[in-house]
């Protein structure tokens, strides 16, 4: 018998997503973004994001169902992001998921947002190899992980960002360079006309043994700011700056990831998260993986950024792994560390504090 259809709901930041997955196959998904509403502020405003989720959640779920040719009553389980993310935004998604699960009488699963990014690749390329190396690169997270069975086993962190994430660095430097928000796509577009060797930006933690697989992009951001300040009173060669910054970020990310694959005897590298959409990160990863004999897997562009399909994919894995469903008093954890794919903190084990 086939597994139940899993509805996934994502609302951790500025995108409201719904997806439907069964047995590892994506049936339909829909997405609404409030990015344009945040652009005037140069970053996400939590209150605006929460209100946008309230307005978008029901239409997005309906659109995903329509795309799949399904009815609400066809849903057999609900998965929802319970962390990390913006508190108010997470609460909106969780409240909607609880309502649907309760009304249908189906199990509810709390999901870690970053595990969703990992699972997104399975919707395009099938089950993850056991083990595989995963590089998560997004606006708020940069991590290098050793992953075995995503639905059952704990996730091993080989390295994490010590300060700014790669996407955060792109956003902040784009603002310094006078480029629009979001900064990652703007940097990527602008870099196409620039020389990646024009500015000798540093490669953070490149030769630091105690942080061999950790990342740090705050210093790179500062170096870019100082370089821009050095052009005060004259035209800033933005394309060269963008290309050089992008090259530094891609160099550090891909070098560490491929080295980790070689050291741990892993033959598959999976690159996920919003920055996985960056053209230079993808091309340099392909080049270095090919040279090292490592298979590279990257989700299609539409599944790199936040979406409900990836949360449904995790829920589908949890259902098939026989994982326990969450109680209906499951809460959120806005700063949850990534340990397991399931994230089901209780609202109040000690009366008032999430687990």
């Amino acid at each position: 018998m086939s597994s139940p259809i899993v509805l996934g709901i994502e609302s951790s930041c500025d995108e409201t997503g719904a997806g439907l997955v069964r047995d590892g196959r994506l049936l339909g998904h829909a997405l609404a973004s409030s990015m344009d509403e945040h652009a005037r502020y140069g970053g996400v405003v939590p209150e605006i994001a929460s209100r946008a989720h309230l307005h978008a959640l029901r239409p997005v779920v309906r659109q995903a169902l329509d795309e799949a040719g399904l009815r609400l009553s066809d849903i057999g389980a609900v998965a929802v992001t319970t962390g990390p993310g913006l508190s108010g935004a997470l609460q909106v998604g969780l409240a909607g998921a609880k309502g649907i699960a309760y009304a249908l009488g189906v199990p509810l699963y709390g999901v870690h947002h970053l595990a969703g990014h990992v699972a997104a690749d399975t919707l395009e390329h099938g089950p993850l190899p056991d083990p595989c190396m995963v590089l998560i690169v997004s606006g708020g997270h940069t991590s290098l992980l050793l992953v075995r069975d995503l639905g059952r086993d704990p996730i091993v962190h080989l390295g994490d960002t010590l300060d700014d994430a790669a996407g955060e660095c792109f956003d902040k430097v784009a603002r310094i360079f006078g480029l629009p928000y979001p900064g990652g796509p703007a940097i990527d577009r602008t870099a196409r006309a620039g020389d990646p060797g024009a500015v000798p930006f540093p490669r953070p933690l490149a030769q630091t043994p105690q942080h061999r697989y950790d990342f740090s992009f705050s210093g790179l951001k500062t170096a870019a700011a100082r370089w821009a300040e050095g052009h005060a009173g004259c035209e800033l060669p933005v394309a060269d700056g963008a290309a050089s910054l992008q090259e530094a970020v891609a160099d550090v990310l891909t070098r560490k990831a491929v080295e980790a694959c070689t050291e741990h005897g892993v033959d598959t590298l999976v690159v996920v998260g919003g920055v996985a959409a960056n053209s230079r990160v993808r091309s340099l990863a392909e080049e270095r993986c090919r040279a090292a004999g490592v298979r590279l897997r990257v989700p299609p562009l539409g599944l790199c950024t936040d979406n409900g399909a990836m949360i449904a994919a995790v829920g589908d894995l949890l259902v098939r792994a026989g994982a326990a469903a969450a109680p209906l008093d499951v809460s959120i954890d806005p700063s949850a560390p990534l340990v397991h794919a399931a994230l089901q903190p209780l609202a109040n084990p000690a009366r008032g504090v999430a687990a």
Side-chain angles (χ1 to χ4, degrees), residues 8-136:
I9 293 175
E10 157 61 24
S11 68
S12 64
C13 192
D14 60 342
E15 282 148 335
T16 312
L20 295 152
V21 171
R22 177 165 61 186
D23 291 328
R25 186 167 68 91
L26 179 60
L27 306 176
H29 75 114
L31 190 69
S33 176
S34 59
M35 186 179 298
D36 290 345
E37 298 175 55
H38 304 284
R40 74 181 77 173
Y41 304 104
V44 176
V45 180
E47 293 81 1
I48 292 176
S50 299
R51 287 198 298 271
H53 289 307
L54 279 170
H55 292 297
L57 184 57
R58 184 174 178 177
V60 160
V61 170
R62 173 49 56 194
Q63 186 180 343
L65 287 167
D66 289 345
E67 181 180 291
L70 297 170
R71 298 169 298 176
L72 195 65
S73 58
D74 293 321
I75 294 169
V78 179
V80 61
T81 303
T82 47
L86 302 174
S87 178
L90 290 168
Q91 291 282 17
V92 173
L94 179 57
K98 284 182 177 181
I100 294 171
Y102 182 78
L104 296 177
V106 301
L108 175 70
Y109 295 87
V111 169
H112 196 289
H113 174 78
L114 297 182
H117 278 300
V118 179
D121 183 72
T122 67
L123 299 175
E124 178 72 12
H125 299 119
L128 294 169
D130 180 2
C132 64
M133 195 67 62
V134 177
L135 175 65
I136 297 179

Side-chain angles (χ1 to χ4, degrees), residues 73-290:
S73 58
D74 293 321
I75 294 169
V78 179
V80 61
T81 303
T82 47
L86 302 174
S87 178
L90 290 168
Q91 291 282 17
V92 173
L94 179 57
K98 284 182 177 181
I100 294 171
Y102 182 78
L104 296 177
V106 301
L108 175 70
Y109 295 87
V111 169
H112 196 289
H113 174 78
L114 297 182
H117 278 300
V118 179
D121 183 72
T122 67
L123 299 175
E124 178 72 12
H125 299 119
L128 294 169
D130 180 2
C132 64
M133 195 67 62
V134 177
L135 175 65
I136 297 179
V137 276
S138 68
H141 305 274
T142 304
S143 296
L144 190 56
L145 313 170
L146 185 61
V147 175
R148 303 197 71 91
D149 187 320
L150 184 62
R152 295 181 173 90
D153 296 334
I155 296 164
V156 178
H157 287 246
L158 301 181
D160 294 284
T161 186
L162 304 180
D163 40 58
D164 288 357
E168 186 178 3
C169 177
F170 280 150
D171 282 341
K172 291 178 177 178
V173 174
R175 191 167 188 172
I176 293 168
F177 286 0
L179 298 174
Y181 175 86
I187 290 284
D188 199 353
R189 289 191 302 270
T190 306
R192 294 169 192 164
D195 176 4
V199 187
F201 285 135
R203 271 49 173 173
L205 300 184
Q207 304 295 329
T208 310
Q210 65 268 36
H211 294 296
R212 185 174 180 188
Y213 296 128
D214 288 323
F215 302 94
S216 169
F217 294 105
S218 180
L220 179 58
K221 172 199 68 182
T222 302
R226 296 293 173 267
W227 173 79
E229 289 172 1
H231 290 78
C234 58
E235 184 177 356
L236 182 68
V238 175
D240 285 346
S244 299
L245 176 81
Q246 181 172 262
E247 187 68 20
V249 171
D251 183 18
V252 170
L253 291 173
T254 59
R255 186 182 302 278
K256 288 178 180 264
V258 173
E259 285 179 359
C261 289
T262 302
E263 179 179 340
H264 290 269
V266 176
D267 62 7
T268 301
L269 171 64
V270 184
V271 183
V272 299
V275 180
N278 178 271
S279 62
R280 184 52 180 158
V281 170
R282 294 169 81 99
S283 65
L284 191 54
E286 289 173 2
E287 177 186 322
R288 287 180 166 164
C289 282
R290 190 181 307 112

